[in-house]
Amino acid sequence: MAVAALEQEILTLRKRRQLYSLIGLLLVVAVLMSGYSKSNEMNSGGFLQGLTKFFDYPGEIVVEAWEAGPAFFGLILHFVPAMLETLNIAAVATLIGGAMAVVLAMASTRNVDSWGPLIPVVRRMMDIMRAFPELIIALFLIFVLGSSPVPAMIAVAFHTAGALGKLFSEVNENIDRKPIEGLSACGASWLQRIRYAVMPQVAPNYLSYFLLRLEINVRASAILGFVGAGGIGQELRRTIGWGQGAGDETAAIFVLLFLTIMLIDQASSYLRGKLVGAGRAH
């Protein structure tokens, strides 16, 4: 009897959950339809009418790149210095942000015997650093410092410190505390415990996250060029702004950016695989 009552209750709960799911789905559809109708009214043209022209501009870029012939490869080489500038922004920002992240992670982890009252303060600091996208920080810094790669570098480093600091602190939370306790029993200082008991355990994961962040920062640095922070993004904004006649240059930048990202991705995947002992990461 009790089993029959339990089955009936489960059946009732299941029907109630299906009813709630259906109501939720209908609400989502209603919001989407309402949003589509509103945005369609605000656009200069209709969404469905514009959808047919979606591939017009990409098609023009491909045609102009094809018409450029062998000179297209010369255009790719022409934009290599701008690409190197973007890579420099990303590399310097990742190095500075990574160093700051190590300090923040050590100060925000209870597992490595950090000072208790400092831990919540540093964690909230990292929350704030991650809350603002690089683009917002860069726009503010460009307003203050002017257009140059420096605001982009500071913006990417600031966001990287908050993001990597969070990941590094999670790595610290999972280490084995026995080496720390052994060094404490021998009278080792806090810095000595970090140097000889913590860093050997966390270094491979730190470096893995660092390389992953470098990939992300290359893409972020390219985007920041659109707001006047230099690099390949600034060239891309110029070629797109010219509209007709610069499609071959736009295509050359896209190809160069794709090749660079692919090379960095493959190199960092290989290095991460070596660091974690997995042969090759995918």
Side-chain angles (χ1 to χ4, degrees):
M1 188 66 181
V3 174
L6 182 60
E7 290 178 346
Q8 182 63 36
E9 185 177 354
I10 292 173
L11 187 62
T12 304
L13 289 173
R14 187 176 297 170
K15 288 182 178 178
R16 189 181 302 167
R17 187 182 61 184
Q18 291 174 344
L19 178 63
Y20 290 160
S21 299
L22 179 61
I23 293 173
L25 180 63
L26 292 175
L27 284 174
V28 170
V29 171
V31 170
L32 287 176
M33 292 299 294
S34 173
Y36 168 77
S37 175
K38 196 69 179 177
S39 61
N40 210 32
E41 291 174 4
M42 297 174 66
N43 288 335
S44 57
F47 175 76
L48 293 177
Q49 291 78 9
L51 192 61
T52 58
K53 303 175 183 176
F54 185 79
F55 293 103
D56 287 357
Y57 183 60
E60 290 174 6
I61 291 176
V62 172
V63 169
E64 289 184 29
W66 179 261
E67 290 175 349
F72 178 74
F73 299 101
L75 286 175
I76 294 177
L77 296 177
H78 171 73
F79 289 113
V80 167
M83 192 68 239
L84 290 177
E85 185 178 25
T86 296
L87 291 175
N88 283 337
I89 294 171
V92 173
T94 308
L95 284 172
I96 296 174
M100 292 171 61
V102 173
V103 176
L104 292 171
M106 293 302 174
S108 63
T109 310
R110 198 176 304 279
N111 207 27
V112 298
D113 295 339
S114 298
W115 188 43
L118 186 63
I119 293 173
V121 176
V122 177
R123 286 186 178 179
R124 296 297 79 76
M125 282 176 55
M126 290 192 295
D127 291 344
I128 294 172
M129 296 168 86
R130 291 197 311 276
F132 298 98
E134 297 98 330
L135 187 60
I136 302 299
I137 302 171
L139 284 171
F140 173 77
L141 291 174
I142 287 172
F143 179 76
V144 176
L145 303 175
S147 297
S148 74
V150 175
M153 187 270 293
I154 297 174
V156 176
F158 185 80
H159 193 273
T160 298
L164 275 184
K166 170 71 173 174
L167 295 173
F168 287 177
S169 65
E170 291 177 355
V171 173
N172 291 348
E173 295 288 356
N174 296 319
I175 63 171
D176 184 3
R177 275 192 53 82
K178 290 179 182 175
I180 299 176
E181 293 168 358
L183 286 173
S184 297
C186 297
S189 66
W190 185 80
L191 285 177
Q192 288 173 326
R193 296 198 297 272
I194 295 296
R195 168 69 181 82
Y196 296 107
V198 177
M199 290 308 296
Q201 296 188 63
V202 301
N205 285 332
Y206 274 23
L207 288 172
S208 177
Y209 283 130
F210 180 85
L211 291 171
L212 177 63
R213 191 68 204 182
L214 178 61
E215 294 177 37
I216 296 171
N217 285 348
V218 170
R219 300 184 185 95
S221 301
I223 293 170
L224 293 181
F226 255 85
V227 295
I232 197 71
Q234 192 160 332
E235 293 290 343
L236 187 60
R237 185 183 66 171
R238 177 184 64 80
T239 59
I240 289 178
W242 278 9
Q244 294 288 338
D248 51 349
E249 294 186 71
T250 304
I253 292 173
F254 281 150
V255 171
L256 181 60
L257 190 59
F258 170 73
L259 291 175
T260 303
I261 295 294
M262 186 183 67
L263 287 174
I264 292 174
D265 179 68
Q266 292 299 311
S268 60
S269 295
Y270 177 78
L271 290 175
R272 282 202 306 273
K274 289 292 185 184
L275 287 170
V276 299
R280 187 174 180 83
H282 296 283

